[in-house]
Amino acid sequence: MSRFDQLINRKNTSSVKWDYSKKLFGVDDVLPMWVADMDFKAPEEVINALHARIDHGIFGYTMPGKSMEEAIIQWVEKRHHWKVDSRWMTYSPGIVTALSLAISAYTDPTDKIVVQSPVYYPFFEMAKKHKRDVLYNELHLTEQHRYEIDFEDLEIKLSQPETTMFILCNPHNPGGRVWSKDELLQIGELCLKHHVLLISDDIHSDLLLFQHEYTPIASLREDIARNTITCIAPSKTFNLAGLQASVLLIPDESLKKKYIEAQQLYGLMTLNTLGTEAMEAAYRHGEAWLDELIVYIEENVTIVKEYLAEQLPHIRVMDPESTYLLWLDVRSFNKTDDELKKLLLHKGQLALEPGSKFGQNGAGFLRMNIACPKETLHQGLIRLVTALKDK
């Protein structure tokens, strides 16, 4: 029995996933498989490090220190073959916060920001909250049911004089694509050519499935690195999102200075004390746990694909190269997202993310979080079939 088979009751823990269904969906009795956190305990080494810090009993102002920086450097080099420098590092409670600060630091209200939809919705939501125009470089869905980049359209969007920022998701959420070196090189060169700053959200880069390889875009070339801000975090990897700790890697000194000025403007200069402890412990000691998790997630992917092939063959499951999020194509049911939502919640008692939340070209898709024990996964699949299968 895997450690990830353990069923843990998360109710009454102020869990967004498990305690807020009534507020978010209007119904209480649903199985939540929507938001991107896992139903697994963090590594024991992380829990032990938190216990030790709590037992110390004093929680004064804390700054990320050299030991944590070394842990980050060693992790990125070992897992992703990229030698990073501690001088590039700054920190944020979360990557959405970092995106908001970056938009504030590097763009003006008259600027345009490019995103690739369907994509993690805070990319365009944050831009809109800052009153920036958003240009959508829609990903192309191939006959093989795989997302590809429309580079001709991308250049058109990047070449507009008002375009100053491009936000990349690598690996891609919700599709699970890990962009190739060739694709990343084209992106990097286009951003340089048109003087567009690149923000790369790489939060899912540790969760690589089925032997796929991830490349940090900033590792390709020095000139691309100087034009890139890379965002990483242990939050998705080790289920630490509630501890609010992420890292920005900014090789260009002037860009880092501007970002720090934005941090100071909004009073976001440091991290939570327990977040720093968890981050260091995860990056120092979490590798074996992560390797075991990846195998478990791969098994869950196979379970979903086989079950749906038998029970709901009209659903096409996009093969994930990373993440624990499955992108389900349910367009063949000819239902609107509102109709799908009603069927899922009221007939199947299941909460999934509607595809249109990730952009207009996500309509007719569902995002399903499969980072849960197999018993929970089977229950979710039964509910999905109940919701969508004609009896």
Side-chain angles (χ1 to χ4, degrees):
M1 181 175 177
S2 167
R3 71 176 95 191
F4 300 112
D5 285 320
Q6 182 183 5
L7 293 171
I8 301 170
N9 183 4
R10 297 183 60 189
K11 292 187 175 180
N12 302 313
T13 64
S14 299
S15 164
V16 171
K17 186 175 183 179
W18 287 91
D19 289 327
Y20 285 85
S21 293
K22 181 70 173 178
K23 183 175 182 178
L24 294 169
F25 301 106
V27 289
D28 257 330
D29 188 20
V30 294
L31 180 63
M33 300 182 76
W34 61 283
V35 72
D37 75 6
M38 300 190 274
D39 291 325
F40 305 134
K41 275 189 178 182
E44 285 299 320
E45 294 87 348
V46 173
I47 296 169
N48 292 339
L50 291 172
H51 278 303
R53 188 66 183 84
I54 289 167
D55 289 344
H56 181 265
I58 299 175
F59 310 104
Y61 296 113
T62 306
M63 293 290 287
K66 185 176 180 181
S67 181
M68 191 174 90
E69 291 173 348
E70 290 173 348
I72 295 165
I73 290 168
Q74 290 167 8
W75 179 266
V76 173
E77 185 170 17
K78 184 173 183 182
R79 299 293 292 198
H80 306 308
H81 316 294
W82 183 26
K83 182 71 173 176
V84 302
D85 192 315
S86 62
R87 291 173 296 182
W88 304 350
M89 294 179 189
T90 188
Y91 302 92
S92 170
I95 289 179
V96 174
T97 306
L99 291 175
S100 181
L101 288 178
I103 291 167
S104 178
Y106 304 119
T107 69
D108 295 317
T110 56
D111 290 346
K112 296 179 179 180
I113 296 172
V114 177
V115 303
Q116 295 178 305
S117 61
V119 75
Y120 183 50
Y121 42 88
F123 283 19
F124 48 85
E125 287 183 349
M126 282 296 115
K128 290 176 180 178
K129 287 180 188 298
H130 283 275
K131 312 300 184 187
R132 274 50 164 177
D133 285 340
V134 179
L135 302 178
Y136 295 93
N137 171 229
E138 294 191 356
L139 297 173
H140 172 63
L141 187 62
T142 68
E143 290 183 3
Q144 292 73 37
H145 215 62
R146 189 170 188 261
Y147 279 129
E148 302 287 354
I149 297 170
D150 182 344
F151 279 102
E152 183 177 347
D153 178 73
L154 179 60
E155 180 156 23
I156 290 170
K157 303 287 168 59
L158 294 177
S159 65
Q160 295 190 25
E162 300 87 0
T163 300
T164 58
M165 179 178 286
F166 172 46
I167 307 176
L168 173 69
C169 199
N170 181 36
H172 179 255
N173 170 16
R177 262 300 312 272
V178 182
W179 304 115
S180 69
K181 286 184 180 181
D182 286 344
E183 289 168 321
L184 294 171
L185 188 60
Q186 288 185 72
I187 290 170
E189 289 179 339
L190 285 174
C191 286
L192 287 171
K193 177 181 176 181
H194 297 291
H195 308 288
V196 174
L197 178 64
L198 176 59
I199 312 293
S200 189
D201 176 1
D202 295 20
I203 195 170
H204 293 281
S205 57
D206 294 320
L207 295 161
L208 300 172
L209 305 177
F210 305 109
Q211 305 301 311
H212 284 281
E213 294 185 4
Y214 147 84
T215 301
I217 191 168
S219 70
L220 293 174
R221 272 192 348 223
E222 186 179 348
D223 55 349
I224 293 174
R226 288 198 305 270
N227 190 50
T228 302
I229 294 172
T230 305
C231 306
I232 62 171
S235 50
K236 302 300 182 199
T237 309
F238 299 103
N239 208 25
L240 304 176
L243 290 174
Q244 298 284 287
S246 63
V247 186
L248 281 80
L249 300 166
I250 312 177
D252 184 87
E253 192 174 327
S254 64
L255 287 177
K256 184 179 177 185
K257 183 174 182 290
K258 280 187 179 181
Y259 185 84
I260 290 173
E261 288 171 354
Q263 284 181 311
Q264 293 169 342
L265 177 64
Y266 293 103
L268 291 166
M269 286 83 72
T270 189
L271 294 180
N272 177 289
T273 299
L274 297 183
T276 61
E277 292 288 339
M279 182 185 288
E280 179 173 350
Y283 283 145
R284 276 201 191 284
H285 308 296
E287 187 167 42
W289 182 96
L290 175 59
D291 290 341
E292 187 179 331
L293 170 73
I294 287 170
V295 171
Y296 196 88
I297 296 298
E298 290 173 345
E299 292 171 354
N300 280 4
V301 171
T302 301
I303 288 169
V304 172
K305 291 179 69 176
E306 290 179 351
Y307 188 91
L308 293 182
E310 180 180 337
Q311 297 291 329
L312 287 172
H314 294 307
I315 293 181
R316 294 193 68 179
V317 182
M318 187 170 286
D319 289 327
E321 300 170 0
S322 178
T323 83
Y324 49 75
L325 305 165
L326 286 187
W327 193 232
L328 309 179
D329 184 349
V330 295
R331 290 175 298 171
S332 62
F333 291 89
N334 295 314
K335 305 286 186 184
T336 67
D337 275 9
D338 283 343
E339 289 171 334
L340 288 168
K341 183 179 178 181
K342 287 177 183 177
L343 286 170
L344 290 166
L345 290 175
H346 300 290
K347 190 178 174 187
Q349 296 179 296
L350 178 67
L352 302 181
E353 287 275 42
S356 58
K357 196 171 184 177
F358 301 85
Q360 289 184 354
N361 59 329
F365 288 77
L366 298 166
R367 194 187 75 170
M368 184 179 195
N369 179 351
I370 61 167
C372 57
K374 288 181 172 52
E375 184 175 332
T376 305
L377 180 65
H378 283 295
Q379 183 59 232
L381 290 170
I382 290 169
R383 292 176 185 225
L384 182 62
V385 170
T386 299
L388 298 181
K389 192 170 186 176
D390 292 329
K391 299 298 182 183

